[in-house]
Structure formats: C-alpha cells, structure tokens
Amino acid sequence: MKRPVLAANWKMNNGPTAAKAFMDTFLAGYSPRSDRTVIIFPSAVALTTVANSSANRKDVLTGVQNIHWAEKGAFTGEISATMAKDAGAEVVLVGHSERRHVFGETDAQCAKKCCAASRAGLTFMLCVGETIQQREAGETERVVTHQLREGVSQTQNLISADFILAYEPVWAIGTGLTASAGDASAIHTVLRSELRQMIGTRADEIPILYGGSVSPSNAAGLLAAPEVDGLLVGGASVEPSSWLAIAQT
Ligand code: PGA
C-alpha cells in the first residue's frame, strides 16, 4: 500500500503574505488524510509562515528549496541546514534541475548538501533527471543512476538516513511535456533497483516521486503508475485551487 507524497515546489513565487493566504485557503479545503503526506517548499523568506500555518497538521510538512552545505560563515545570501530547520523546515530539496542548470550546481555540491541536511536531522529530497539531448542519446538510465550515486555519496549511514528521490526529466519541467506513466514507471524501477544495490531492502521504503508538468488533469494517471510514490509539482502548485485538486487526487 503506497502512502503518496505530494510535494509543492513554489520556486520563486509566493512571499510571506501570499504564502499565508495560500495556506489559509489550502488548509481550509484539505482535510487531513492518513494515506498521504503533503510537503510545501516555499521560498526561504516564507518558510516560517508556512511552518506556522501548518504547525498543527502532522500531514503537512514544510521544506526549503535550497541550502548551503556549511554550518555557518561568510557565504552571503546562503542559508544553512540548521538555519532552515530553525525557521521550520523539515525537508530540503537538493539538486533541482533549475539549481543544476541555471545555477551550475554540481553532483559534488549536491552530495555535500544531502550530507548537511541529514546531519541536521532533516529529510532530503534529491532530484535527478536527464536533458532532452541525453534522452535522445539513450543515456537516461546512466545519467539518473549516476546522479543518484553521486548525490548520496557523502551521506553517512545512508541506510538509516531519511530521504526521498524525485525523478524530474529536465525536458518536462515547466514545458507542458510530461513523461508517460509508463516511461516514469520504467525509470523509477531503474532507480529502485539501483537503490536496492546500495541499501538493500531499505530501498523499498524510499519514496520515488515524479515531477515535470504535473497538473490536475494528469496527476491521477501518474500517481497510479507502478513505482510512482508521489508527485513533485511546480507551476500547478503555486495557486491553491489547482494544488488542492492535485493533493486530493
Ligand atoms: P513544473 O515544475 O511542475 O512546473 O514542471 C516541476 C519542478 O520543477 O519541480
């Protein structure tokens, strides 16, 4: 029996005022459900707003979109895992394709971020995904398994670490193109078997989410696909009514 994880990545949308209004509307319409977990990833400045709004909802977690791997220091503009935790974050998004492709984040940096998140007692959600060129060259499996192996390579006690994987094909993010449920299942199966080689049967407890142009109209089909344990949603999560429709799928 799957316990789906429905995650909203607001990206650079919804400051504290909009975040408060969003959470009021969303939580009023979304009854607690024992069969799923919701995670909201607001901007860092709205972390506390979202965490406070959902403080008495155990089924709704708050996540941070990015952290620096160091504990503290001279890194202007950055926030550490412990600072994000202090502001209310329970989950950290690592290696999102926009971090990798717009900001040049490397696998080595992702590895340090996963390690820092885990050390701080936070769950990390590591994103992997191929570009259209890599897909057309038949490299998808090699790319995503490499990103997985590298991303968790610095995490101590991986077998007991709390983490989530998100498969987000780069060509599907924000484009309106979605992997078919069959394609998503196939890659999730590859990731699961790679995880089994790494951490044995514990692999079966790691949720693997799909992301990339998820919408209220395609969410149910993707969520029903074998090995798809949840959804990571960008554009369709910014506004409460479409997010509500997806969260209630
Ligand atoms: P999208 O973004 O749903 O807008 O494609 C997904 C993501 O970037 O996590």
Side-chain angles (χ1 to χ4, degrees):
M1 199 48 185
K2 298 201 277 195
R3 180 184 164 92
V5 177
L6 285 311
N9 172 18
W10 288 353
K11 311 191 182 192
M12 199 170 73
N13 297 286
N14 292 341
T17 307
K20 174 82 174 68
F22 178 109
M23 293 305 286
D24 288 349
T25 307
F26 171 61
L27 293 175
Y30 182 73
S31 309
R33 292 177 57 155
S34 58
D35 70 340
R36 64 192 51 201
T37 301
V38 166
I39 308 173
I40 310 281
F41 292 97
S43 67
V45 293
L47 269 180
T48 303
T49 307
V50 170
N52 287 347
S53 296
S54 56
N56 51 16
R57 290 286 299 262
K58 293 280 167 270
D59 59 321
V60 179
L61 307 180
T62 304
V64 64
Q65 294 176 14
N66 183 36
I67 54 164
H68 192 276
W69 53 83
E71 260 297 298
K72 60 181 176 180
F75 300 103
T76 301
E78 297 289 323
I79 59 173
S80 69
T82 45
M83 289 162 65
K85 187 177 181 181
D86 189 22
E90 296 163 277
V91 188
V92 180
L93 201 55
V94 178
H96 185 275
S97 100
E98 285 144 23
R99 298 298 320 168
R100 293 178 189 266
H101 297 286
V102 182
F103 299 101
E105 200 162 293
T106 63
D107 282 327
Q109 291 172 337
C110 291
K112 291 195 271 187
K113 292 181 183 198
C114 290
C115 173
S118 195
R119 212 175 39 220
L122 297 169
T123 300
F124 63 83
M125 184 186 290
L126 176 66
C127 303
V128 299
E130 82 286 6
T131 63
I132 190 66
Q133 292 80 6
Q134 290 165 332
R135 183 179 184 82
E136 285 169 355
E139 292 179 348
T140 300
E141 293 184 15
R142 185 192 62 74
V143 168
V144 299
T145 54
H146 179 80
Q147 288 173 332
L148 165 59
R149 290 244 174 212
E150 291 296 308
V152 299
S153 61
Q154 302 293 317
T155 302
Q156 282 133 25
N157 301 318
L158 185 63
I159 199 155
S160 56
D162 278 324
F163 69 101
I164 298 171
L165 284 186
Y167 168 56
E168 295 205 305
V170 178
W171 50 269
I173 296 177
T175 58
L177 301 171
T178 322
S180 67
D183 280 353
S185 265
I187 301 303
H188 286 218
T189 302
V190 167
L191 289 167
R192 182 83 62 200
S193 87
E194 195 74 10
L195 269 178
R196 282 200 190 111
Q197 287 175 33
M198 297 160 74
I199 54 172
T201 53
R202 165 92 173 106
D204 298 336
E205 293 165 27
I206 306 300
I208 306 180
L209 314 192
Y210 169 79
S213 294
V214 175
S215 68
S217 57
N218 63 22
L222 287 161
L223 207 48
E227 294 289 357
V228 175
D229 303 316
L231 303 169
L232 176 56
V233 185
S237 75
V238 171
E239 197 265 313
S241 63
S242 72
W243 175 239
L244 198 51
I246 293 171
Q248 288 172 327
T249 298

